[in-house]
Amino acid sequence: MISHHPSETTLLAYAAGSLPEALAIVAATHIGGCSACRHRLEGLEAVGGVLLDALPPSALSDDALDRLLARADEPAPALPPVVNAGLPPPLDRVPLGRWWPIGVGARWRPVQAEGAAWGGLILVQPGRALPRHGHDGLELTCVLKGAFSDGSGRYGPGDLSEPQADHDHPPVAAAGEPCLCVIASEGMRLRGLLGWGQRMFGI
Amino acid sequence: MRRKGVDHPIWHVIHPHPNHVRGSVNATAPASGASDTRPAPASPAFGVAGLVLPFRRRISPPGMTADTPASDDHAALIQAIAQRRDRLAFAALFRFFAPRVKAWMLRGGASPVAAEELAQETMLAVWQKAALFDPARAGASTWIFTIARNQRIDSLRRERHPATLLPDPVDEPEEPVQADRVLAMAQQESRIRVAMAALPAEQAEVIRKAFFEDKVHAEIEKELGIPLGTVKSRLRLAMNRLRAALGDVT
């Protein structure tokens, strides 16, 4: 049962295509498993369709249609291959780096994404804290396996956490199985193990 | 630069709908109330308003056929492409949508050449993916909006990261098609149109900027010279009103 969802403004940015890639991957992971958010998204996309209809047209060159019809037999481009068979879409087709140990009881696997946000998978042993950094910008976390809790509630598989700027309670993996999440953030990108160590332990 | 793929639409992997071509749905022509802003049919010989002709399966040569739907019935035009590779239907769609997609890309900061290229790529994808159009899920404008949006992301991505493509997050089994849902989706766009027209100007403006100028909220704040909290609350107010218009569909 999914009980934590992205905010309306985050979903709007996703619908408009303006969410940076890494954050869009986390949002898409949630939406893919959440029919309620799918419906919300379809409504926002319908708003986009109506706005597109209403845009004042900007003429193309005279031969644009003919040039396009000359390409009518081109096949549709293929999706990239599945490279992570065990992960839900779209993560199954997103290239990932290798696993890195980040302190005690946690491992990190970066997503290869462009744009103004960074992201990756994080695997945290039961009872350990998830790394979460500062409060600048949007941060999204979607649980894939296991669960974690923070001051605002418990997050299980499919749940999406979008902490508010003043939220200051560190998430801790629940007892039982390790917690696997996909996280993205447009906050400051710390580099290397030291950065993660800083975030993990608040040094 | 474009990815050349295998010769089948692998999007079926992401959209595993069992029946993309809805042969049995009997719907009336959607959204005739808003057709006044759209171009008149190119020739009366090809426009038969009020009927969704593509549902009538028939074997006819590819390209121009006398069954091409009215040029303002965009959903029927897409289905004519899916079923008959109807080039006249495609030309009608192209005349309406390509200049609007180009206008969007220009607003988003693309150069005139890049904007035209993106409009072309969007319309090519419309042609290639017409069989994936499902009038029970989305209106024609909505579907083309999502294709243009994905093309736009993809083109930005291609410059920096050509190997990745983020698929649409649709992986649930499709519920059976209901004719009333097809009709409801077709009417949804006109209800949103009415709701948009009723929005206060400043709320409509933040919505338009959020969609077409690729503005994050902080940038809208700077551009409009209003506090971030005001941008967010305008967006929220506008979304509440639009949600009310959407409510009985979802």
Side-chain angles (χ1 to χ4, degrees), chain A residues 8 15 18 32 38 40 42 44-46 51 53 56 58-59 61 64 71-72 74-75 79 90 93 112, chain B residues 2 10 13-14 38 99-100 102 116 120-121 127-128 137 141-142 149 165-166 171 193 212 214 239 243:
Chain A
E8 191 77 8
S18 56
R38 264 255 309 288
R40 290 170 71 202
E42 286 165 1
L44 292 172
E45 289 171 342
L51 291 173
D53 266 4
S58 178
S61 52
R71 296 170 60 191
E74 283 185 19
L79 281 179
R93 295 175 196 274
Q112 293 173 20
Chain B
R2 295 189 68 254
I10 198 163
V13 174
I14 300 303
R38 292 173 180 168
R100 285 168 171 81
K102 184 181 178 185
E116 177 142 343
Q120 294 272 55
E121 293 297 324
W127 172 264
Q128 291 167 332
R137 296 196 70 94
S141 301
T142 302
R149 175 199 64 192
L165 180 70
L166 185 65
D171 63 350
R193 202 169 286 121
F212 291 133
D214 211 7
M239 287 317 304
R243 280 279 169 224

Side-chain angles (χ1 to χ4, degrees), chain B residues 41-60:
Chain B
S43 156
F46 300 116
V48 185
L51 284 175
V52 182
L53 288 169
F55 290 128
R56 218 192 320 143
R57 298 261 209 157
R58 51 164 57 200
I59 297 163
S60 49

Side-chain angles (χ1 to χ4, degrees), chain A residues 5-28:
Chain A
H5 306 275
S7 69
E8 191 77 8
T9 47
T10 294
L11 209 57
L12 177 66
Y14 181 85
S18 56
L19 210 54
E21 184 185 357
L23 288 160
I25 287 171
V26 180

Side-chain angles (χ1 to χ4, degrees), chain B residues 14-67:
Chain B
I14 300 303
H15 294 260
H17 304 160
N19 46 353
H20 290 302
V21 181
R22 318 290 186 184
S24 62
V25 178
N26 184 15
T28 54
S32 59
S35 59
D36 52 343
T37 59
R38 292 173 180 168
S43 156
F46 300 116
V48 185
L51 284 175
V52 182
L53 288 169
F55 290 128
R56 218 192 320 143
R57 298 261 209 157
R58 51 164 57 200
I59 297 163
S60 49
M64 187 183 296
T65 86
D67 278 348

Side-chain angles (χ1 to χ4, degrees), chain B residues 203-236:
Chain B
Q203 289 179 21
E205 187 176 18
V206 290
I207 290 274
R208 266 195 297 273
K209 281 187 184 298
F211 268 100
F212 291 133
E213 298 180 23
D214 211 7
K215 294 279 198 297
V216 292
H217 305 149
E219 291 174 69
I220 300 178
E221 169 199 2
K222 267 183 233 157
E223 197 171 297
L224 297 181
I226 53 177
L228 183 57
T230 310
V231 175
K232 285 187 172 171
S233 67
R234 279 184 192 173
L235 268 177
R236 252 194 307 274

